[in-house]
Amino acid sequence: MAQSKKTKPHAAKRNLTHDERWLHFYRQMVKIRLFEEEVNQLYLGAKMPGLAHLYIGEEAVAVGVCEALRQNDYITSTHRGHGHCLAKGASVDKMFAELLGKEAGYCRGKGGSMHIADQDTGNLGANAIVGGSAGIATGAAMSAKMRGSDQVAVCFFGDGALGQGLLYETMNMASLWKLPVIYVCENNQYNEYTHYRETTAGEVTGRAAAFGVETESIDGQDVRLVHTTAQRLVERARRGEGPAFLQCHTYRFHGHHVGDIDRSYYRNKKEEVEWKNQRDPLKLLADWLQKNKLADADLLGRIENEIAAEIKQAVTFALDAPYPAPDEVKQHVYA
């Protein structure tokens, strides 16, 4: 797991002007959105085994945070993890292959939607256990500190993980030992089918503050705000000043999973429409880019078309790819 201190940032981040950086952010967010829309179609077309938990509506968090990291920095993800994987550098063809259980996938088809990992990009894995990756991210941060590598680990989790004791045990250790880890709470308002206010007593950030952890609470739909905040917290951790807790208020536009179609029994249609129409992170960034004359509708349209073509090609690749051989069923499997 050891990495050189001199590992360079993502290739896409190098040699970009300030203005070009925001266009890159838009491209990354569109990639996640179109990827997830295609995942939904693969499920509806009975071409994908199992369920998937769509990240649509939350793209600004993954992109804003991961763009503040170097390639050799670590992330851990969640059951709703496709956006994190893509934002950290995963390729769409290998992502689709993994979802379809194909040999060409990141885990040779054995991880599926909820267990994608790619150590080449610092992605230590998505995790089907709510809050289950807190120990992994904190352990990676401890490893980085012990090796003096100045790497940082980011632990993504949803508001539902606030009920898991592992999160508090690891935050306590991270604070005591000043570990370079950022705990990013993607508060999309609902613990599966229950509003978080019905399950979470007190203020969310107060829980981290009790351990002496630096805390921030921001609008998770504004990718520029997410990025500037994450940059500051990441650099703080890299300087050896300890962990941080970042709550990003966001919203999943679809259901808890692809089969959660009728959501009227736990959230109303008006709320969904308001978030989609007024708080869509892609639209917010697109409007800002056009207002500041950094892009026009034609350029944004070309970006979307380019990404759509990339997604289409990747889906074809994954559908045509072979399944792993039956005799490797016991290989690359850990328990």
Side-chain angles (χ1 to χ4, degrees):
M1 187 180 289
Q3 300 274 359
S4 167
K5 292 176 69 173
K6 296 182 180 180
T7 298
K8 296 179 180 179
H10 292 300
K13 298 181 188 179
R14 296 197 296 269
N15 303 318
L16 292 179
T17 67
H18 181 270
D19 293 347
E20 290 171 335
R21 174 68 57 81
W22 299 121
L23 281 172
H24 171 66
F25 281 35
Y26 184 74
R27 180 180 291 274
Q28 291 291 86
M29 291 166 67
V30 169
K31 181 181 294 187
I32 295 171
R33 176 69 56 91
L34 296 186
F35 178 91
E36 294 289 70
E37 289 177 353
E38 189 59 41
V39 168
N40 196 34
Q41 291 304 310
L42 288 169
Y43 171 78
L44 294 174
K47 295 177 181 177
M48 185 185 76
L51 295 174
H53 302 77
L54 300 180
Y55 196 67
I56 293 174
E58 305 182 29
E59 296 91 347
V61 181
V63 173
V65 172
C66 288
E67 286 294 328
L69 300 174
R70 302 186 311 210
Q71 183 172 347
N72 70 331
D73 288 329
Y74 301 116
I75 67 164
T76 59
S77 185
T78 70
H79 59 276
R80 198 180 308 282
H82 306 156
H84 308 136
C85 298
L86 291 169
K88 195 60 170 68
S91 62
V92 290
D93 52 358
K94 295 180 71 174
M95 287 284 291
F96 278 123
E98 186 60 39
L99 265 63
L100 296 179
K102 300 300 184 72
E103 183 181 14
Y106 275 106
C107 301
R108 300 181 67 82
K110 297 176 182 177
S113 174
M114 292 189 282
H115 295 95
I116 296 174
D118 175 28
Q119 292 201 20
D120 288 341
T121 59
N123 178 5
L124 301 183
N127 200 315
I129 300 173
V130 174
S133 66
I136 300 171
T138 307
M142 182 176 179
S143 167
K145 181 168 183 177
M146 292 176 69
R147 289 181 287 109
S149 70
D150 88 344
Q151 291 163 281
V152 172
V154 168
C155 177
F156 290 102
F157 59 94
D159 44 285
L162 294 168
Q164 297 293 336
L166 176 63
L167 178 63
Y168 304 110
E169 293 175 34
T170 55
M171 280 198 294
N172 180 64
M173 289 188 289
S175 183
L176 286 171
W177 300 334
K178 289 192 177 299
L179 301 182
V181 56
I182 315 297
Y183 300 98
V184 178
C185 177
E186 296 180 301
N187 188 343
N188 62 21
Q189 315 304 306
Y190 290 90
N191 305 173
E192 195 166 0
Y193 310 120
T194 307
H195 197 279
Y196 83 98
R197 286 297 185 189
E198 298 180 44
T199 63
T200 309
E203 290 302 317
V204 169
T205 52
R207 298 181 173 212
F211 296 109
V213 174
E214 181 82 6
T215 64
E216 296 271 357
S217 184
I218 62 172
D219 177 6
Q221 305 305 82
D222 182 349
V223 69
R224 295 181 297 119
L225 176 61
V226 174
H227 181 62
T228 54
T229 306
Q231 271 189 317
R232 176 163 41 80
L233 296 179
V234 167
E235 290 309 312
R236 176 182 176 275
R238 214 181 291 286
R239 292 192 302 267
E241 296 178 27
F245 182 99
L246 176 60
Q247 177 181 212
C248 296
H249 292 282
T250 185
Y251 197 80
R252 52 173 166 83
F253 289 178
H254 287 253
H256 170 61
H257 55 72
V258 285
D260 179 18
I261 305 300
D262 179 18
R263 297 175 292 279
S264 59
Y265 65 95
Y266 71 91
R267 70 185 200 190
N268 62 63
K269 192 66 176 179
K270 180 183 177 182
E271 176 184 290
E272 289 191 355
V273 170
E274 286 179 350
W275 276 91
K276 290 179 181 179
N277 291 346
Q278 301 174 24
R279 304 300 302 153
D280 184 335
L282 274 70
K283 186 177 186 301
L284 291 175
L285 181 57
D287 289 347
W288 181 83
L289 287 167
Q290 292 178 86
K291 179 181 178 181
N292 288 274
K293 302 187 184 306
L294 301 179
D296 56 23
D298 288 342
L299 175 57
L300 298 181
R302 288 199 301 274
I303 289 174
E304 292 168 15
N305 290 336
E306 290 170 6
I307 298 298
E310 181 183 354
I311 295 292
K312 182 178 180 180
Q313 184 177 13
V315 171
T316 300
F317 165 81
L319 289 171
D320 292 342
Y323 289 100
D327 60 7
E328 67 169 70
V329 66
K330 296 182 180 179
Q331 297 176 16
H332 313 109
V333 177
Y334 303 90

